[in-house]
């Protein structure tokens, strides 16, 4: 049978307040075409279906529309919950979706055997079992009296993860002898690369799970949580498919992909690149370089490319900050949007606490005295300094003596 592994859809995700709804819709269109062309029979989605535990109505609508499109391809669908997902929300329509041959395991059930999903071929014969383990929360892994110290808690979590996968394997050995088993998981495995958009799980990712603890019983382990696609050093083929679309600027260079297995040939997957629907661009330099690079971007008639702009200068300069703000706020070019900007000075401006002797108290300082010291750090001529101080005097007067309307 042919199986497609994907994960980390993060429906409802916003990148710096910019909606990625269109990106996901285009991915689903491409995914449907890929399932058709490769004659995929089983789709595995390993967690983080949504970006928020309480997704918006628009995100939920997008989720159900995507499932219906995929269901129309006569493909069995198995989804598990991730650390971003609400188990209760995913599990609520479980019975209805099961009648559509869509299996959803939002949270770990009390009986772990309920995570075991038999998959039959077109002839009706049992082909393999999927151990669809969702994200395992601390309450799933530790007893109330375990983990008194921080290190104890970490070890309890690692042992808890291993015990759940081992329990699923033991049931399969007894109930489905000689039948291949695929495991799904949503966790942080040791020794892999992360990106900025992955929310910490299991005590800040310190409880990194050693992939060797998966053992060698499972034929393939389909993981989610890490957005950069990569193989895990385990005893059996174990892969993060990665997120299908970039979710942060740190992922802008990732080659997004899905993984396809053909069980008649091998348990090693084939990597299928997901097309780039929009680019995430990072531009850095001084003001002149930024201006030149921004206005010489090539034409784009697809989804708006999103830009992160970084002003890099040797010395802190309030005038350059103002000019940078004007450049980014007034930038207009079809097919592009600046969604993030910040400054990076080699010599940062001292904070007010560093401007005064340690024996001076905050209540002893006058606002204008503090401001004058800050202005004196700037590379300004006397006329500009006087203009700035005059403007400060006007603002201070309004604050201290407001006019009642």
């Amino acid at each position: 049978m042919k199986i497609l592994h994907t994960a980390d859809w993060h429906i409802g995700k916003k990148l710096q307040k910019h909606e990625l709804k269109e990106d996901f819709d285009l991915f689903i269109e491409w995914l449907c075409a890929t399932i058709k062309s490769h004659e995929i029979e089983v789709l595995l989605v390993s967690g983080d279906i949504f970006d928020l535990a309480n997704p918006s109505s628009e995100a939920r609508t997008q989720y159900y529309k995507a499932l219906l499109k995929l269901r129309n391809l006569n493909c069995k669908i198995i989804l598990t919950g991730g650390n971003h997902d609400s188990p209760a929300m995913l599990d609520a329509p479980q019975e209805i979706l099961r009648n559509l041959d869509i299996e959803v395991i939002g949270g770990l059930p009390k009986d772990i055997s309920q995570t075991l999903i038999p998959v039959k071929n077109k002839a009706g014969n049992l082909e393999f079992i999927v151990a669809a383990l969702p994200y395992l929360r601390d309450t799933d892994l530790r007893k109330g009296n375990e983990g008194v110290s921080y290190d104890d808690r970490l070890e309890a979590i690692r042992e808890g993860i291993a015990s759940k996968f081992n329990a699923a394997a033991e049931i399969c050995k007894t109930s489905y002898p000689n039948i291949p088993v695929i495991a799904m998981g949503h966790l942080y495995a040791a020794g892999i690369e992360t990106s900025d958009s992955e929310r910490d799980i299991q005590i800040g990712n310190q409880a990194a799970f050693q992939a060797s603890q998966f053992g060698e019983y499972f034929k393939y382990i389909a993981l989610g949580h890490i957005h950069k696609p990569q193989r895990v050093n385990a005893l059996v083929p174990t892969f993060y498919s990665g997120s299908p679309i970039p979710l942060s600027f740190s992922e802008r260079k990732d080659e997004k992909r899905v993984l396809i297995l053909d069980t008649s040939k091998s348990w090693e997957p084939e990597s299928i690149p997901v097309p780039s629907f929009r680019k995430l661009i990072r531009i850095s330099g001084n003001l002149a370089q930024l201006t030149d690079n921004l206005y010489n971007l090539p034409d784009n008639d697809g989804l708006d490319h999103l830009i992160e702009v970084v002003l890099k200068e040797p010395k802190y300069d309030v005038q350059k900050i103002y000019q940078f703000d004007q450049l980014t706020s007034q930038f207009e070019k079809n097919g592009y949007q600046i969604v993030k900007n910040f400054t990076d000075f080699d010599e940062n401006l001292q904070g007010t606490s560093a401007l005064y002797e340690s024996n001076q108290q905050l209540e002893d300082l006058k606002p204008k005295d503090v401001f004058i010291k800050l202005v004196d750090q700037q590379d300004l001529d006397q006329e500009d300094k006087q203009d700035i101080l005059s403007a400060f005097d006007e603002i201070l007067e309004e604050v201290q003596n407001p006019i009642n309307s």
Side-chain angles (χ1 to χ4, degrees), residues 9 26 60 63 119 165 172 177 183 211 252 255 300 305 333 341 351 362 380 404:
W9 285 0
L26 289 172
R60 296 179 198 222
Y63 166 62
V119 177
F165 279 89
C172 289
R252 69 191 187 281
E255 182 182 311
N300 168 40
H305 296 332
K333 186 174 178 67
N341 63 81
L362 182 62
L380 301 169
N404 296 322

Side-chain angles (χ1 to χ4, degrees), residues 1 41 118-128:
M1 294 183 76
E41 296 163 88
V119 177
K120 296 180 179 180
N121 56 28
K122 292 178 181 177
N125 299 319
L126 184 60
E127 189 79 17
F128 57 84

Side-chain angles (χ1 to χ4, degrees), residues 178-189:
N178 303 317
I179 300 296
V181 181
I182 293 173
M184 298 173 70
H186 192 92
L187 50 82
Y188 180 87

Side-chain angles (χ1 to χ4, degrees), residues 3-8 42-48 78-81 128-135 165 181-187 189 214 218-226 230-232 234 236-242 258-261 267 269:
I3 305 161
L4 190 147
H5 166 205
T6 180
D8 295 280
V42 180
L43 172 66
L44 307 179
V45 189
S46 298
D48 280 355
I78 302 174
L79 306 96
T80 56
F128 57 84
I129 305 296
V130 175
L133 293 170
Y135 169 62
F165 279 89
V181 181
I182 293 173
M184 298 173 70
H186 192 92
L187 50 82
F214 283 125
F218 301 111
K219 295 296 184 182
Y220 178 83
I221 302 175
L223 296 179
H225 177 58
I226 303 304
Q230 56 200 286
R231 183 178 192 135
V232 176
V236 299
T238 304
F239 287 81
Y240 286 103
S241 67
V258 297
L259 298 167
I260 292 179
L261 295 89
W267 292 100

